[in-house]
């Protein structure tokens, strides 16, 4: 039986949730942002706005664009409901983020993967109020590329015949997981599309890229790339972070850090009953040149008391010496490593 995978991805997830809940925002250019754009609507993307863009730049260049803030609880509730729908269609669901996942529907599609994708999208629209694009393919790579082509709010099915025609022509810089640095090395070696890999083996490619990447490229060229949906195990840690315009102002950085602690605690409490109690804490600081500093430390007592965690996080933040560093801070985050379930 041929493997059938779906890649389901909610379109402009955060912005779509805001447009769902406020009809006046529908069809308008909006961004979900707090100093830095987290998610632009498709109407905003059409103007050239993208995630990571400073909010002040958006306001200056596009003063009519509407700005909404984060609503973590609402966004997470929408994610939970979305995944409940995914698991209704198959128990084999591998999350990619809070709004996307691979689904193995082999044998469940009754020979009609397009019809199953239509039903999944209709359920997401009717029950959660969100548009979901779906790609169908034989491997994760093909399913994910198909969902990209399906956006916004569509379906693309890559059957065996289409894959045979498309796969050799895929640009290497479009392949999922190949970043700019890897592509530069491939480009310098005269490799641009998948068909350029034909005739090369792992040893040939290991002279250009890492062993793991060489193995993956060979499998992509041969059409034997990953088609296994892996079920998530218990969460090993929970984190929360937020980006903002570069600053060294203590009150600003501490306020964002405290908010991240609160959100991380809420997420831990939502995982298990009773909750697993962290005994360690991590604080991450990112500077305006992209450099990051990570500080780790134990908690005096394992637990989820927000006040104790804020104090511990503040101590780790001081250890980064961000105030005297000279660079501006653009992101802070916290992580709570969790013990294995009992």
């Amino acid at each position: 039986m041929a493997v059938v995978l779906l890649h389901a991805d909610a379109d402009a997830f955060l912005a779509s949730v805001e447009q769902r809940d406020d009809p006046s925002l529908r069809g308008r250019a909006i961004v979900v942002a707090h100093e830095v754009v987290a998610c632009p609507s498709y109407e905003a993307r059409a103007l050239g706005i993208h995630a990571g863009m400073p909010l002040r730049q958006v306001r200056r260049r596009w003063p009519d664009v509407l700005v909404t803030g984060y609503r973590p609880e609402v966004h997470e509730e929408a994610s939970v409901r979305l995944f409940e729908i995914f698991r209704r269609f198959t128990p084999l669901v591998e999350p990619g983020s809070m709004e996307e996942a691979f689904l193995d529907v082999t044998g469940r599609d009754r020979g009609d993967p397009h019809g199953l994708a239509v039903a999944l999208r209709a359920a997401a629209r009717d029950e959660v109020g969100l548009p979901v694009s779906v790609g169908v393919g034989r491997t994760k790579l093909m399913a994910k590329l198909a969902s990209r082509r399906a956006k916004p709010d569509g379906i693309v099915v890559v059957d065996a015949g289409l894959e045979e025609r498309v796969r050799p022509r895929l640009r290497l810089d479009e392949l999922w997981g190949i970043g700019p640095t890897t592509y530069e090395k491939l480009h310098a070696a005269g490799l641009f599309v998948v068909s350029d890999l034909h005739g090369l083996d792992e040893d040939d490619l290991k002279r250009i890229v890492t062993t793991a990447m060489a193995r993956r490229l060979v499998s992509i060229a041969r059409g034997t790339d990953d088609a296994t949906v892996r079920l998530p195990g218990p969460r090993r840690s929970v984190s929360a972070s937020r980006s903002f315009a570069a600053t060294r102002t203590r009150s600003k950085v501490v306020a964002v850090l405290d908010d991240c602690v609160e959100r991380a605690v809420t997420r831990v409490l939502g995982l298990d009953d009773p909750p697993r109690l962290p005994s360690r804490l991590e604080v991450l600081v990112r500077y305006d040149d992209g450099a990051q500093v990570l500080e780790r430390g134990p908690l005096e007592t394992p637990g989820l008391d927000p006040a104790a965690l804020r104090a511990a996080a503040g101590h780790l933040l001081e250890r980064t010496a961000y105030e005297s560093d000279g660079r501006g801070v653009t992101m802070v985050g916290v992580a709570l490593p969790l013990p294995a379930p009992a």
Side-chain angles (χ1 to χ4, degrees):
M1 181 180 295
V3 174
V4 181
L5 302 183
L6 307 185
H7 183 255
D9 191 357
D11 299 323
F13 176 64
L14 301 183
S16 292
V17 171
E18 299 308 311
Q19 291 176 321
R20 177 198 68 182
D21 293 350
D22 185 348
S24 71
L25 301 179
R26 297 172 189 171
R28 303 181 68 178
I30 74 165
V31 296
V32 178
H34 185 93
E35 300 192 23
V36 174
V37 174
C39 181
S41 67
Y42 273 91
E43 296 84 357
R45 295 177 193 202
L47 299 175
I49 300 171
H50 57 80
M53 183 176 286
L55 184 56
R56 63 176 180 275
Q57 179 182 346
V58 174
R59 292 188 187 279
R60 182 174 64 250
R61 187 170 177 185
W62 298 281
D64 294 333
V65 169
L66 301 174
V67 179
T68 68
Y70 295 102
R71 294 192 297 157
E73 296 81 6
V74 174
H75 299 149
E76 289 173 14
E77 187 267 346
S79 174
V80 169
R81 293 177 61 195
L82 198 60
F83 274 81
E84 287 173 350
I85 290 173
F86 293 166
R87 294 188 180 96
R88 190 189 310 160
F89 283 81
T90 174
L92 303 177
V93 177
E94 179 181 333
S97 66
M98 68 187 304
E99 74 270 15
E100 66 170 314
F102 289 104
L103 291 72
D104 188 335
V105 296
T106 305
R108 300 172 186 273
D109 62 330
R110 300 181 180 179
D112 182 16
H114 184 274
L116 188 145
V118 168
L120 184 150
R121 281 167 29 82
R125 176 75 76 173
D126 294 344
E127 299 175 34
V128 192
L130 297 178
V132 173
S133 292
V134 177
V136 183
R138 184 181 58 84
T139 69
K140 288 181 177 177
L141 172 66
M142 300 311 298
K144 192 172 181 80
L145 290 174
S147 72
R148 287 182 188 172
R149 300 296 192 277
K151 288 183 173 293
D153 198 15
I155 302 172
V156 169
V157 177
V158 180
D159 60 20
L162 180 57
E163 179 180 343
E164 185 178 1
R165 296 192 301 273
V166 167
R167 184 180 284 268
R169 302 200 301 267
L170 291 174
R171 286 170 35 194
L172 299 182
D173 60 338
E174 289 185 322
L175 299 183
W176 169 42
I178 294 183
T181 300
T182 298
Y183 180 67
E184 286 177 10
K185 295 176 181 178
L186 295 169
H187 183 280
L191 305 173
F192 305 96
V193 296
V194 168
S195 61
D196 294 335
L197 302 173
H198 293 165
L200 301 178
D201 59 21
E202 281 187 32
D203 289 336
D204 297 323
L205 289 169
K206 281 193 293 187
R207 300 186 183 98
I208 305 169
V209 296
T210 65
T211 298
M213 181 56 70
R215 186 176 300 118
R216 181 162 184 264
L217 290 170
V218 168
S219 70
I220 289 172
R222 295 174 180 172
T224 58
D225 43 299
D226 188 15
T228 303
V229 167
R230 296 170 178 82
L231 300 181
R235 289 283 294 272
R236 296 183 178 181
S237 69
V238 169
S239 61
S241 63
R242 199 173 90 195
S243 300
F244 43 87
T247 183
R248 280 184 290 159
T249 304
R250 180 184 181 82
S251 60
K252 171 67 177 180
V253 176
V254 170
V256 173
L257 184 67
D258 287 349
D259 175 67
C260 290
V261 168
E262 297 283 350
R263 288 192 285 127
V265 168
T266 299
R267 290 171 181 172
V268 173
L269 291 172
L271 289 178
D272 306 289
D273 186 19
R276 288 176 282 158
L277 303 180
S279 60
R280 295 182 296 124
L281 177 68
E282 300 175 357
V283 169
L284 179 69
V285 170
R286 186 173 66 209
Y287 293 105
D288 53 14
D289 61 357
Q292 298 187 154
V293 176
L294 177 66
E295 291 288 344
R296 300 183 176 95
L299 298 174
E300 289 187 7
T301 304
L304 290 168
D305 177 56
L309 290 171
R310 286 196 301 269
H315 175 66
L316 294 176
L317 179 66
E318 292 300 319
R319 281 171 36 183
T320 69
Y322 72 96
E323 287 183 282
S324 58
D325 184 272
R327 294 171 291 182
V329 176
T330 59
M331 186 272 284
V332 294
V334 299
L336 297 173
L338 299 175

